[in-house]
Amino acid sequence: TKKQINFLSEEQVQMFLKVAKELTPEHYALFYTAINTGMRRGELLGLEWNDINFIKKTISINKQWYKNKVTSTKTAGSTRVIKISDSTCEVLKEHKRENFFKSKIVFADKLGKHQHAWNMTERYFKKVLKFMQYLDNIETLNLDTLRFHDLRHTYASLMLSKGAPIKFVQEQLGHTTCKMTLDTYNHIMPKESEIARNLLDKLEYEQ
């Protein structure tokens, strides 16, 4: 049985980032990058500045911060180079300028060291979600069960719903095959299903 996929809507993403910037500004760049790249939590926490190429607008993912140590990526296919948007570049550049400890770690803690994954999630990520639920005019149906990993699902869901090629999303996420990506997110691609049905209509022969 597949686990249910939770993800933020576009409206929720905007609200989430707005609240994060005001409530925990030191984590804003981390959350922004998570939503706009689909990187896993360990990949984000293990990221170093020399992994980011601001000229080519890419991030090399070759390690992760897992159980309080730097390890290889989750799978061989998870080692990859992903493309990042102009806005993500700007957010990361601003974050680097504010890097008080000049740490080589992109999303370092206040001592310039790797953040504790559980602490970041429980104290800051969930703090933002909790605050969102007190705001008006925002859907909160899935916020109680939303995990940090669901920011990855949010990226994939929004990209696919906007018509991004499945191959591109697969490579960005580090999935082994397109089939894995399709099996995970097929239910949120109604446009593609409708297009496929219309194509079948065009293939029908005269009777």
Side-chain angles (χ1 to χ4, degrees):
T1 303
K2 292 183 180 180
K3 292 182 179 179
Q4 183 177 353
I5 299 296
N6 272 342
F7 56 90
L8 296 172
S9 65
E10 287 187 72
E11 180 189 10
Q12 287 175 324
V13 166
Q14 292 177 352
M15 184 61 67
F16 177 88
L17 291 174
K18 181 179 179 180
V19 171
K21 197 167 190 176
E22 296 179 2
L23 210 59
T24 176
E26 66 273 25
H27 291 89
Y28 174 75
L30 169 61
F31 297 148
Y32 191 98
T33 305
I35 290 172
N36 285 277
T37 65
M39 291 172 64
R40 298 179 178 91
R41 182 176 64 177
E43 295 169 348
L44 289 159
L45 297 184
L47 191 64
E48 297 180 0
W49 287 113
N50 59 13
D51 296 321
I52 303 176
N53 189 319
F54 287 111
I55 297 176
K56 294 183 177 180
K57 298 175 184 176
T58 60
I59 293 178
S60 297
I61 301 172
N62 48 52
K63 56 186 170 298
Q64 64 175 342
W65 180 246
Y66 182 67
K67 293 186 176 180
N68 297 323
K69 63 181 180 180
V70 176
T71 69
S72 57
T73 54
K74 184 178 179 181
T75 65
S78 297
T79 299
R80 62 201 188 278
V81 177
I82 65 171
K83 296 175 175 61
I84 56 176
S85 64
D86 291 343
S87 62
T88 304
C89 275
E90 292 306 312
V91 168
L92 288 170
K93 285 178 181 178
E94 179 63 25
H95 181 63
K96 189 175 185 179
R97 286 192 287 268
E98 296 175 351
N99 185 1
F100 179 77
F101 289 98
K102 303 302 178 185
S103 173
K104 69 176 183 179
I105 303 165
V106 177
F107 303 115
D109 63 14
K110 293 180 180 180
L111 298 177
K113 298 181 179 180
H114 287 96
Q115 290 194 57
H116 189 286
W118 185 92
N119 187 60
M120 181 275 294
T121 301
E122 295 298 316
R123 292 187 61 185
Y124 301 106
F125 173 69
K126 290 190 176 180
K127 182 180 181 180
V128 175
L129 294 181
K130 186 175 182 180
F131 189 85
M132 284 177 66
Q133 296 187 58
Y134 293 103
L135 301 176
D136 295 328
N137 302 319
I138 187 79
E139 289 183 34
T140 59
L141 296 178
N142 64 345
L143 295 184
D144 286 332
T145 58
L146 200 80
R147 307 161 300 161
F148 188 89
H149 190 76
D150 291 323
L151 297 185
R152 177 172 164 86
H153 293 319
T154 295
Y155 168 78
S157 301
L158 293 179
M159 288 293 288
L160 291 169
S161 67
K162 294 295 183 181
I166 190 70
K167 183 64 177 176
F168 175 81
V169 176
Q170 175 225 329
E171 292 174 345
Q172 290 284 105
L173 294 176
H175 284 168
T176 307
T177 64
C178 285
K179 182 180 184 301
M180 182 178 179
T181 310
L182 282 167
D183 286 347
T184 305
Y185 300 108
N186 185 55
H187 64 289
I188 58 151
M189 295 189 288
K191 289 183 181 179
E192 285 72 11
S193 297
E194 185 64 19
I195 290 171
R197 188 184 69 79
N198 290 336
L199 286 174
L200 286 173
D201 287 341
K202 293 179 180 179
L203 289 174
E204 288 185 359
Y205 298 100
E206 291 185 9
Q207 297 184 16

